[in-house]
Amino acid sequence: VWPPHAEETTLMLVSADSPLRRVRNDIPVTTVFFLDGCRYAIEMTDLAFRRLEATIAAFDSRPDALGPQIVCAISDAWVIVDSVHRLRELVQHFPGLKKREPEVQIFLRSTKELDDLRNFVQHFRTEITRFAERRMPLWGTLSWSHADGEPTTHTIIPGTFYSDVGVASCVFDSQEGRFTEQMVLHAGPRRVELVEVFTAVKRFFAWFEEWCKATHSSSDARHGADAHIVFTVLRVERPAPDRTSPAEPPAPGGLVV
């Protein structure tokens, strides 16, 4: 079914009682902001990836919605790139987090190619002319494969399908008779396997959550999070002035009371 229903895009990684969501109230505000930045980068990646899976799964069943489906798929692919790039920057400057921690190093190495992709899309104004010479779509191509039945790959090309446009796809291993990539975004100077990126985020988050539990104070007092506040303005009709009673004399100092 497409578009995906809310229950199909439920966030799975950060639980309701996670220390990233229920932050202890004795942690410095700067660290709280780093925690919020990391949590939202992780949750945005989580949501975008699950929504992307639901979108590409519906391509064959909704040919009438091709245009909106491509917009949704490409949008979520780039949300993943941007969110993981932001997470990488926060992790490298997180207060008290050692950059030489094995899990930190594994995460940074396994996602380093996203920096080039994100920088490319942030600098369209200077990259378009050079990239046009390669005859590839500006927003790149998104490809995915599945092994149900005959090995099959799909590729979507956002934007104008101009003459001699170059199209990338998933890599096929002819000896093993299968595609070696599951979901690939190819744009600018890089191609990234988004399933591997999401797997790296999940692995890092599992470690990072435990690190937060062990590192921060044992205080049980915690802040709330993700509030929704509603204010309603009620109109109150003022009574009409009584024109029959004489006007009150001015109070001392010229004020009318």
Side-chain angles (χ1 to χ4, degrees), residues 3-255:
H5 296 300
E7 61 270 17
E8 295 173 345
T9 55
T10 301
L11 299 178
M12 300 292 291
L13 290 182
V14 185
S15 64
D17 59 351
S18 169
L20 276 73
R21 190 183 303 277
R22 299 297 309 281
V23 178
R24 291 166 178 160
N25 66 2
D26 57 350
I27 294 176
V29 174
T30 299
T31 304
V32 171
F33 282 3
F34 270 91
L35 286 168
D36 280 351
C38 288
R39 174 167 72 89
Y40 262 82
I42 290 168
E43 290 194 303
M44 289 166 71
T45 301
D46 185 15
L47 176 62
F49 185 82
R50 298 179 191 282
R51 197 166 52 196
L52 177 56
E53 283 189 315
T55 298
I56 65 177
F59 261 82
D60 289 338
S61 62
R62 288 294 306 275
D64 59 310
L66 180 62
Q69 284 178 318
I70 290 179
V71 172
C72 287
I74 292 296
S75 174
D76 282 330
W78 282 106
V79 167
I80 294 169
V81 170
D82 190 63
S83 298
V84 178
H85 169 79
R86 187 172 296 109
L87 178 61
R88 286 171 50 81
E89 291 192 324
L90 290 167
V91 166
Q92 292 176 81
H93 295 88
F94 197 98
L97 181 60
K98 296 179 180 179
K99 311 310 176 290
R100 294 184 179 181
E101 287 278 3
E103 288 296 333
V104 173
Q105 288 296 309
I106 290 172
F107 170 68
L108 294 177
R109 286 198 301 267
S110 60
T111 57
K112 62 182 179 180
E113 292 182 344
L114 274 74
D115 286 350
D116 289 335
L117 269 181
R118 194 264 185 181
N119 290 336
F120 166 76
V121 79
Q122 288 294 108
H123 298 92
F124 272 173
R125 66 187 184 278
T126 58
E127 296 289 334
I128 282 182
T129 300
R130 184 171 62 87
F131 194 53
E133 296 174 356
R134 300 177 60 185
R135 312 293 292 177
M136 295 186 67
L138 178 63
W139 288 98
T141 57
L142 179 67
S143 304
W144 65 94
S145 64
H146 55 80
D148 298 335
E150 295 295 326
T152 304
T153 183
H154 300 248
T155 297
I156 55 177
I157 304 98
T160 303
F161 197 75
Y162 54 86
S163 178
D164 299 326
V165 62
V167 177
S169 189
C170 295
V171 174
F172 184 75
D173 187 328
S174 58
Q175 293 186 344
E176 296 189 11
R178 65 180 183 87
F179 289 98
T180 60
E181 298 167 315
Q182 293 177 267
M183 189 189 303
V184 178
L185 176 64
H186 186 191
R190 291 286 183 269
R191 59 188 289 134
V192 295
E193 222 291 2
L194 296 178
V195 174
E196 293 180 359
V197 168
F198 187 55
T199 299
V201 171
K202 290 192 295 183
R203 172 173 174 163
F204 172 76
F205 169 69
W207 175 85
F208 184 56
E209 191 173 45
E210 293 302 316
W211 180 85
C212 289
K213 291 177 182 178
T215 303
H216 296 150
S217 151
S218 59
S219 170
D220 290 330
R222 299 176 184 272
H223 294 293
D226 300 332
H228 174 204
I229 301 175
V230 179
F231 295 97
T232 301
V233 178
L234 300 179
R235 293 183 177 273
V236 178
E237 296 295 334
R238 294 182 178 182
D242 186 356
R243 302 297 184 182
T244 61
S245 60
E248 295 288 341
L255 297 178

